[in-house]
Amino acid sequence: MRSARLRRTRRASAVTLVSAMTLTALAACGTSSSDNDGDGASQPSGSTDASAPLDPKTKVSITIDCMPPAAKAAELKEWKEDVAEFNKTYPNVTIEGRSTPGQCLEPPRFTAMLKAKSQPDVFYTYFTDLPQVLSEDGAEDISAYVSDKTVPALKDIDPDVLGSLKQDGKLYGLPTSNYTMGLLVNRKLFKDAGLDPDAPPRTWEEVRAAAKKIAGLGEGISGFGEYSAGNTGGWHFTAQLYSLGGDVVDTSGKKAAFNNDLGKQVAKNLHAMRWEDDSMGKTQLLKWGDLQKQIATDKLGMFLAAPDDITYMVQQLGATYENFGMGPIPGGKNTLAGGNNYMIKKGISPDKIKAGIAWLNFKNLTVGKGQFDWDRAKTDSLPVGLPQPNFWLNESKKTDDAGRAASATMPVANFKAFMADPVPGKAEPPKAQEIYKVLDNVMSGILTNKDADVDKLLSTAETQVNQVLANQ
């Protein structure tokens, strides 16, 4: 699974999704792939039923993106175990994992890979990469190949998650994970300030009040933190606007929709917290990674995040799971949602398509196996107990939730507020990264200039975003 840092860098920095979350161009692990086995959409050969599972006798080799690098020893161990287990059912399928040292996903390489048609047979993307991938004719329409025969838990996958991978009714990918944003809190600082970490603020008015109390602890502690650089400021402005029921782009997808009362509410509240309350700290122009360092060292009380930020802080910054908790995003109308997935390279053979879907089903879409083998993850000292990824519904959700709880390596009760009252997810806007870059100026203006003219900042941003949307 990808790290929080990589996802945010791509999702909310220099790329077009993410969406995710993180995205105009996103990078992929592999730098080469097998040759195409044909051109155009692959069709089942002979009388083969596309929706039928792969014949175990079929001999085929497929390349798979983002195999864990050697530096991630536990994840790589599990990958190899899963390949061996998969081959018990499909002994004639050769899985060729592709791994890139360092970052698995880098925007320039992802774009170059799509243009060169050099992506692996099964390649990794974020939900919001779909328009870019399709513009390069890079992904196979797998609608005919995905059924309850090839993906038995298909009916239990959140339809909103699957919907992120569809265009014009056609399915182009299968999910690996999903996320929604909530309010991440430092439990120690909440307690020190006389606040209840098990009942995080539910409105922005409550956030402001809690932030003042936490900042009142002194010693350079900030109550609430926000981004304002590297496209992350615009990403979080969007998240806050969503939380109030607003939108960044109207339903036509062609006009900015944030220069209104709700957009001004977001901007003016942040300006007041920064300059009237002095609860956001004097250091601004922050980007992804900065707030994580602050909260991990007990210098920040809360900020908007996805649950896997916590794993990054524990694994990379030396924090402990016990010190963090989460509640739903304040406002609670909608929350920014995203995720990642795998797509199938356009033009490969039907057998390769089937083999790729069989692998994705085993590795990523089967409760109790692959990435959802929580007992194994605990044994391998990997994190278990975070509320996401969790795209399951119905019986699959019940079974998976029980498995997480039984093998948890962290206090799952710290996320009870976040899990008990889920907020509807809303996807990132079109041209997300270009829009976020514009909205960075709004956030940086608010947080670095006491005399900022909110109306002018939003009006200027509206004009610029309309120009971005006109160039689609």
Side-chain angles (χ1 to χ4, degrees):
M1 295 177 64
R2 84 263 188 259
S3 72
R5 179 176 65 82
L6 294 180
R7 187 193 72 210
R8 300 297 192 291
T9 296
R10 214 185 109 172
R11 176 183 73 202
S13 288
V15 226
T16 275
L17 189 232
V18 198
S19 267
M21 241 164 145
T22 103
L23 320 176
T24 266
L26 302 166
C29 295
T31 55
S32 63
S33 74
S34 61
D35 294 334
N36 284 2
D37 292 316
D39 48 23
S42 299
Q43 297 297 328
S45 57
S47 59
T48 301
D49 178 5
S51 66
L54 178 70
D55 187 334
K57 297 179 181 179
T58 301
K59 186 174 183 179
V60 67
S61 176
I62 55 173
T63 51
I64 309 289
D65 218 355
C66 292
M67 179 179 73
K72 294 187 175 182
E75 290 92 335
L76 181 57
K77 165 187 169 291
E78 293 188 353
W79 171 284
K80 292 178 178 178
E81 290 173 350
D82 287 339
V83 170
E85 184 67 23
F86 178 79
N87 282 150
K88 290 180 181 179
T89 302
Y90 300 104
N92 298 312
V93 175
T94 299
I95 301 292
E96 298 180 17
R98 296 293 169 84
S99 179
T100 299
Q103 290 194 11
C104 175
L105 299 171
E106 295 174 352
R109 184 165 62 230
F110 184 79
T111 299
M113 179 185 70
L114 288 176
K115 291 185 177 298
K117 311 297 184 187
S118 62
Q119 66 268 40
D121 300 321
V122 183
F123 64 102
Y124 183 91
T125 77
Y126 288 104
F127 290 173
T128 50
D129 289 344
L130 182 59
Q132 182 190 5
V133 172
L134 294 184
S135 71
E136 297 294 341
D137 200 25
E140 191 72 55
D141 170 11
I142 58 174
S143 305
Y145 293 87
V146 176
S147 68
D148 57 6
K149 297 177 183 178
T150 58
V151 182
L154 184 64
K155 69 181 185 305
D156 286 350
I157 298 175
D158 186 336
D160 289 338
V161 171
L162 283 178
S164 298
L165 304 172
K166 292 180 179 180
Q167 182 164 303
D168 299 328
K170 298 177 181 179
L171 180 66
Y172 290 95
L174 289 172
T176 297
S177 94
N178 65 320
Y179 75 90
T180 56
M181 295 182 71
L183 186 68
L184 177 63
V185 304
N186 181 301
R187 293 178 62 84
K188 176 184 181 299
L189 294 181
F190 261 62
K191 292 176 182 177
D192 289 349
L195 300 166
D196 184 358
D198 294 321
R202 302 297 292 266
T203 68
W204 286 105
E205 291 81 5
E206 291 176 358
V207 168
R208 184 176 176 183
K212 284 195 285 188
K213 288 185 177 182
I214 295 170
L217 295 171
E219 299 181 0
I221 295 171
S222 299
F224 181 74
E226 259 305 358
Y227 302 126
S228 54
N231 294 19
T232 56
W235 169 43
H236 270 212
F237 181 91
T238 299
Q240 289 205 33
L241 188 57
Y242 282 4
S243 77
L244 297 173
D247 212 335
V248 171
V249 176
D250 70 6
T251 55
S252 74
K254 298 179 180 179
K255 186 177 180 180
F258 55 80
N259 186 16
N260 51 30
D261 289 344
L262 290 180
K264 292 174 183 178
Q265 181 178 333
V266 170
K268 290 180 178 179
N269 184 61
L270 286 171
H271 189 268
M273 291 175 69
R274 169 68 178 95
W275 298 106
E276 294 177 26
D277 303 344
D278 194 23
S279 63
M280 296 185 67
K282 293 178 173 55
T283 302
Q284 295 300 326
L285 298 180
L286 304 175
K287 58 184 182 298
W288 201 93
D290 295 328
L291 296 178
Q292 288 77 3
K293 292 175 183 175
Q294 291 180 11
I295 202 169
T297 54
D298 297 333
K299 291 298 183 182
L300 176 64
M302 53 188 162
F303 74 104
L304 297 183
D308 65 354
D309 274 30
I310 301 173
T311 298
Y312 167 74
M313 292 186 291
V314 171
Q315 294 182 338
Q316 303 296 322
L317 303 178
T320 61
Y321 287 110
E322 288 74 15
N323 199 31
F324 303 109
M326 285 197 73
I329 193 168
K333 298 293 187 181
N334 291 294
T335 183
L336 192 148
N340 61 300
N341 60 281
Y342 278 93
M343 296 182 182
I344 306 294
K345 183 178 182 179
K346 181 72 174 287
I348 65 174
S349 71
D351 284 343
K352 286 194 173 190
I353 295 173
K354 287 194 170 193
I357 290 171
W359 166 255
L360 294 177
N361 174 65
F362 174 81
K363 180 66 175 172
N364 299 322
L365 299 171
T366 302
V367 173
K369 294 184 179 294
Q371 71 165 339
F372 293 112
D373 186 342
W374 301 119
D375 183 61
R376 179 180 67 173
K378 179 179 180 180
T379 299
D380 292 337
S381 299
L382 293 172
V384 180
L386 290 173
Q388 295 171 349
N390 198 334
F391 46 70
W392 297 118
L393 302 174
N394 309 319
E395 288 303 314
S396 291
K397 178 172 176 57
K398 293 179 182 179
T399 302
D400 184 61
D401 284 351
R404 289 176 198 246
S407 298
T409 60
M410 63 191 72
V412 295
N414 291 2
F415 313 116
K416 184 177 180 180
F418 179 77
M419 298 174 68
D421 192 11
V423 177
K426 186 178 180 68
E428 293 182 83
K431 310 287 281 189
Q433 289 308 309
E434 293 178 58
I435 290 175
Y436 294 164
K437 184 177 181 180
V438 172
L439 291 174
D440 265 3
N441 297 326
V442 176
M443 293 290 273
S444 62
I446 292 166
L447 298 176
T448 64
N449 182 5
K450 185 175 182 178
D451 299 319
D453 185 334
V454 168
D455 290 350
K456 184 176 181 180
L457 285 170
L458 289 173
S459 178
T460 299
E462 178 184 32
T463 298
Q464 293 173 341
V465 167
N466 283 338
Q467 291 172 344
V468 168
L469 295 171
N471 292 329
Q472 294 188 80

